[in-house]
């Protein structure tokens, strides 16, 4: 028998951890809300049954206010799984129970999972499973996705619940509310069928725009206006939940918890933001300076291999392709693998420990003045890794205006693909202050994203300031497994890119540089392209070689390094020695500022297109190029004064 | 507890002054983390939990900055043995011990 199971719950209650524990899959689990923005599916065989398990994005209620919540709600409503597993956090169960009450209105076979039971025990909480089950009239399973406790019980419970007859377990509202719901449900029944008519009636009274629109043809206003009982319904449900919690959970003492104590300092009104900046500096300094000897070793190895190839194979087209194209191009990028893995490792610690949502929290005051919320800042933080998931994470922003502004601003945040360019340039022109220079670019990129938000909010997307409501996760000691997985999954993306898009691009680039005259790169096809582009970039003092690198770097930013690797690896001297003649320090800094801001890579543009449409992808290209140009020119002019 | 915080803040501030010329950015990190102790001193005596919170978080931060600096020196094969390094290691070690001791007071 095949059983379709949906896992749903509030954001950051451990749905993905439980999904991994149930299916044996290895989806990355973050310690902050809004990580799962799409539906994920896994299969598990259990006692002769095949369980198809779906991990839904986190949602606080079925009154979907953001895109990811709508995805979860529509799945439950239209895909009708056999069993719905509602996951609640053992340490803050009220919101989970609220969601459960809503799901029960859909007349689904539901199971309540109380997760993080190990942490609840540590904090002296006692949860009475049978009491909970008695009040809610659904099976209750206590689990810990971290230790694996209760997973087998849950699998057994899923199988037994799927085979039992579907029961109608409904929450009874007060007489007045109930009467109104029943009147509406009777009118709605003809259109949506009996099963969900009650749910639609409640949502109509709560003012769900999706439901109100769907029922717009029915004459319901004679009974009640849409949204008439929104607060009344919520209050009645929460009153009921308070009673259940009081009966089922032992009270806890009023001492500060570890998370509250840490938050007291890290989200401090005066020192919260400076602490965040200091920690980011330490993380970047570790990734750029501490790990640099490893990168130098790799760079030397690739350079040595290229020389060896030339010595063994002699001059010729194949030798040039291997030594200059593959080893020079791909090798120049791969040399930065240790830096990138180190950066992801430290960002992983911050994320897994639960610190990053605090960073969003402390930055919310700044973001509010830009008419954005801390939710946008979380997308900006994700952008340090890669712009693609950062753009996808904006699905959690309920306000459409704020979402568009965030999508257009996220690409300014320096992703890991740009890191090799910064490190290469900084190591040559600012060798004594390499860490400071690269950190300054990261800070500048964050400012650029914020300035961009401000500009867009003041011009094209005028609107109200965003409101930020975020449930802060508990702090936890990062688990090595999760940390290794995070680092590997993020770093693997870089390695895969090196083996595919950068490899192919390097070969194409090599061909464009090799032909028509292998002995004179200035006459190559690549040089012709670069010379044409340099006409536009001349005010920035970027010559045809820098322009060539920037042109091909649009596909993926790492290609800028591989282009330099090939352009400057053909005349005997090392890449570093030759590059040092290309720029003066001011031009070098304006070059990395330009790289920081100019046109998003193809993958990001494709994501923007799929999320907002072609119009916004085109706007993003023009907007980011203009912004990059202005910023780089400003650096040149300001730098020119001091130089 | 407040006496310990005062000692640590004074030590951290001296460290900031020692480092400001040679390692400016790191010195500013030390200054920011020293403010954790300073704001702990400003907490009311009636609420020892909050004072302990400052001691614990400050301790963790100084341990982190000391460990990362040591690793950085090690990677460059430039192990420095001067006053600023000694103070940083001292603050890191005390920080770790006090963070472990203080955490028992929280749930």
């Amino acid at each position: 028998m095949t059983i379709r199971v949906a896992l749903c719950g509030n954001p950051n209650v451990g749905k993905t951890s439980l999904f991994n524990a149930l299916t044996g899959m290895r989806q990355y689990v973050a310690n902050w809300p809004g990580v799962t923005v799409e539906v994920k599916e896994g299969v598990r065989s259990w006692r002769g049954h095949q369980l198809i398990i779906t991990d839904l994005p986190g949602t606080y209620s079925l009154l979907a206010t953001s895109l990811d919540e709508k995805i979860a709600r529509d799945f439950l409503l239209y895909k009708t799984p056999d069993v719905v597993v509602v996951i609640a956090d053992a340490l803050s169960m009220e919101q989970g129970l609220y969601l459960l009450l809503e799901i029960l209105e859909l007349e689904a076979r539901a199971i309540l999972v109380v997760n993080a039971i190990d942490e609840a025990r540590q904090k002296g909480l006692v949860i009475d499973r049978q009491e909970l089950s008695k009040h809610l009239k659904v099976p209750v399973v206590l689990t810990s996705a971290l230790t694996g406790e209760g997973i087998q019980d849950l699998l057994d419970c899923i199988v037994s619940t799927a085979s039992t007859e579907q029961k109608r377990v409904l929450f009874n509202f007060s007489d007045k509310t109930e009467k109104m719901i029943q009147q509406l449900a009777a009118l709605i029944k003809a259109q949506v069928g009996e099963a969900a008519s009650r749910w639609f009636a409640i949502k109509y009274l709560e003012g769900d725009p999706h439901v109100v629109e769907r029922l717009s043809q029915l004459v319901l206003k004679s009974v009640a206006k849409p949204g008439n009982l929104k607060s009344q319904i919520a209050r009645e449900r929460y009153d009921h939940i308070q009673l259940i919690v009081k009966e089922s959970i032992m009270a806890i003492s009023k001492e500060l918890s570890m998370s509250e104590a840490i938050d007291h300092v890290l989200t401090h009104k005066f020192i919260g933001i400076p602490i965040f900046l200091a920690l980011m500096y330490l993380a970047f300094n570790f990734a750029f300076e501490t790990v640099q000897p490893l990168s130098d070793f790799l760079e030397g190895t690739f350079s040595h291999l290229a020389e060896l190839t030339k010595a063994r194979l002699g001059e010729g087209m194949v030798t040039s392709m291997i030594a200059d194209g593959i080893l020079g191009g791909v090798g120049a990028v791969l040399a930065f693998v240790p830096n990138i893995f180190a950066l992801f490792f430290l960002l992983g610690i911050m994320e897994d420990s639960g610190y990053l949502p605090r960073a969003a929290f402390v930055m919310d005051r700044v973001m509010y003045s830009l008419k954005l919320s801390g939710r946008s800042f979380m997308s900006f933080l994700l952008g340090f890794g890669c712009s693609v998931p950062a753009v996808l994470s904006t699905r959690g922003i309920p306000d459409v205006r704020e979402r568009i502004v965030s999508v257009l601003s996220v690409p300014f945040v320096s992703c890991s693909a740009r890191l090799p360019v910064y490190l290469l340039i900084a190591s040559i022109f600012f060798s004594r202050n390499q860490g400071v220079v690269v950190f300054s670019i990261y800070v500048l990129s964050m400012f650029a994203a914020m300035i961009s938000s401000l500009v867009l909010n003041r011009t094209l997307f005028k609107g109200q300031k965003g409101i930020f409501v975020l449930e802060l996760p508990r702090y936890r000691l990062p688990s090595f497994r999760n940390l290794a997985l995070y680092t590997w999954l993020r770093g693997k993306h870089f390695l895969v890119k090196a083996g595919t898009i950068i490899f192919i691009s390097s070969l194409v680039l090599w061909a464009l540089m090799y032909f028509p005259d292998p002995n004179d790169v200035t006459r190559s096809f690549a040089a012709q392209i670069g010379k044409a582009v340099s006409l536009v970039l001349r005010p920035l003092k970027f010559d045809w070689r820098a322009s060539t690198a920037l042109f091909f770097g649009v596909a993926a930013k790492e290609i800028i390094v591989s282009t330099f690797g090939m352009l400057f690896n053909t005349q005997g001297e090392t890449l570093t020695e030759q590059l040092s003649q290309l720029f003066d320090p001011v031009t070098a800094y304006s070059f990395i500022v330009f790289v920081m801001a100019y046109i998003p890579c193809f993958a990001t543009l494709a994501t923007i297109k799929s999320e907002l449409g072609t119009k916004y992808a085109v706007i993003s290209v023009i907007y980011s190029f203009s912004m990059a140009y202005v910023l780089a020119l400003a650096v040149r002019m300001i730098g020119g004064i001091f130089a | 507890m407040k006496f310990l915080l005062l000692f640590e803040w004074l030590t951290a501030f001296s460290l900031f002054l020692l480092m400001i010329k040679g390692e400016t950015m790191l010195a500013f990190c030390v200054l920011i983390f020293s403010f954790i102790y300073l704001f702990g001193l400003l907490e009311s005596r009636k609420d020892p939990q909050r004072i302990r919170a400052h001691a614990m978080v400050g301790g963790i931060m100084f341990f982190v900055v000391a460990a990362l600096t040591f690793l950085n020196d090690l990677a460059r094969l430039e192990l420095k043995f001067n006053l600023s390094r000694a103070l940083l290691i001292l603050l890191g070690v005390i920080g770790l011990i006090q963070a472990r001791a203080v955490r028992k007071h929280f749930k």
Side-chain angles (χ1 to χ4, degrees), chain B residues 19-30:
Chain B
M19 291 173 103
I20 187 77
K21 243 186 169 180
E23 295 166 294
T24 315
M25 289 300 285
L26 195 60
F28 276 109
C29 290
V30 167

Side-chain angles (χ1 to χ4, degrees), chain A residues 105 168 170-186 198 201-202 205 223 229 232-233 236:
Chain A
E105 299 288 355
R168 289 193 80 182
L170 302 176
F171 167 66
N172 283 318
F173 292 93
S174 64
D175 290 347
K176 192 183 158 196
T177 313
E178 194 64 41
K179 192 179 163 191
M180 210 174 273
I181 292 169
Q182 283 173 10
Q183 278 180 334
L184 281 171
R198 183 182 165 83
I202 295 170
L205 288 170
V223 180
L229 295 181
Q232 173 74 15
I233 287 172
E236 286 188 28

Side-chain angles (χ1 to χ4, degrees), chain A residues 253 255-256 264 289-290, chain B residues 43 49-50 72 75-76 107:
Chain A
S253 65
E255 277 181 0
L256 276 186
H264 173 66
E289 295 211 344
T290 312
Chain B
E43 294 282 357
Q49 288 267 62
R50 288 174 191 270
N72 200 26
R76 290 173 173 186
K107 273 191 318 220

Side-chain angles (χ1 to χ4, degrees), chain A residues 268-488:
Chain A
H268 195 280
K269 194 164 57 170
F270 300 119
I271 51 174
I273 293 176
I275 290 174
F276 167 64
L277 291 174
L279 285 174
M280 289 307 274
Y281 171 75
L282 290 175
F284 286 124
N285 194 53
F286 177 81
F288 309 145
E289 295 211 344
T290 312
V291 181
Q292 193 55 34
L294 275 175
S295 294
D296 292 341
F297 171 75
L298 277 179
E299 192 189 348
T301 307
F302 281 114
S303 178
H304 185 68
L305 277 173
E307 281 171 25
L308 208 68
T309 309
K310 282 178 181 172
R312 286 281 167 92
L313 298 178
E315 293 294 317
M317 196 174 80
V318 177
T319 308
S320 171
M321 189 179 75
I322 296 171
D324 302 327
I326 298 171
L327 291 169
V330 183
V333 176
L334 283 177
F336 296 100
V337 164
N339 304 95
I340 284 166
F341 272 76
L343 183 63
F344 283 136
F345 182 75
L346 290 177
L347 286 178
I349 291 177
M350 287 192 191
E351 195 173 317
D352 207 28
S353 64
Y355 177 64
L356 281 193
R358 269 78 183 181
F361 178 78
V362 295
M363 289 300 289
D364 189 48
R365 263 175 294 155
V366 180
M367 299 300 278
Y368 191 72
S369 60
L370 305 176
K371 287 190 182 175
L372 291 177
S373 68
R375 187 68 193 77
S376 303
F377 187 71
M378 283 163 79
S379 298
F380 289 176
L381 282 177
L382 271 180
F384 281 134
C386 176
S387 299
V388 173
V391 169
L392 288 174
S393 74
T394 60
R395 286 178 179 183
I397 299 172
D399 183 52
V400 178
R401 176 199 63 82
E402 187 181 341
R403 184 165 180 242
I404 295 170
V405 170
S406 301
V407 168
L408 291 177
S409 303
V410 154
F412 293 120
V413 178
S414 278
C415 65
S416 61
R418 286 173 249 201
L419 182 60
V421 187
Y422 304 157
L423 287 173
L424 180 69
I425 301 292
S427 65
I428 296 167
F429 297 95
F430 312 98
S431 55
R432 288 185 63 194
N433 298 304
Q434 187 183 341
V436 178
V437 166
V438 178
F439 179 66
S440 74
I441 288 289
Y442 272 86
V443 173
L444 190 66
S445 79
M446 201 53 114
F447 272 114
M450 289 179 180
I451 291 165
S452 156
S453 307
L454 190 67
V455 170
L456 291 171
N457 273 319
R458 290 268 164 92
T459 53
L460 298 174
F461 301 97
K462 288 181 182 173
Q464 294 297 311
K465 293 181 178 187
I467 298 167
F468 183 42
V469 181
L470 172 72
E471 193 182 347
L472 293 177
R474 288 181 299 283
Y475 285 102
R476 66 180 186 208
L477 209 60
S479 82
F480 182 76
R481 185 185 173 278
N482 209 21
L483 211 53
L485 193 63
Y486 176 93
T487 310
W488 170 244

Side-chain angles (χ1 to χ4, degrees), chain A residues 15-26:
Chain A
K15 286 183 302 302
T16 308
S17 292
L18 208 63
F19 176 76
N20 286 347
L22 288 171
T23 60
M25 288 176 77
R26 289 193 304 171

Side-chain angles (χ1 to χ4, degrees), chain A residues 517-533:
Chain A
D517 184 358
N519 298 318
D520 187 4
V521 75
T522 58
R523 290 183 57 230
S524 67
F525 295 127
Q528 302 309 316
I529 295 169
K531 281 170 187 171
V533 176

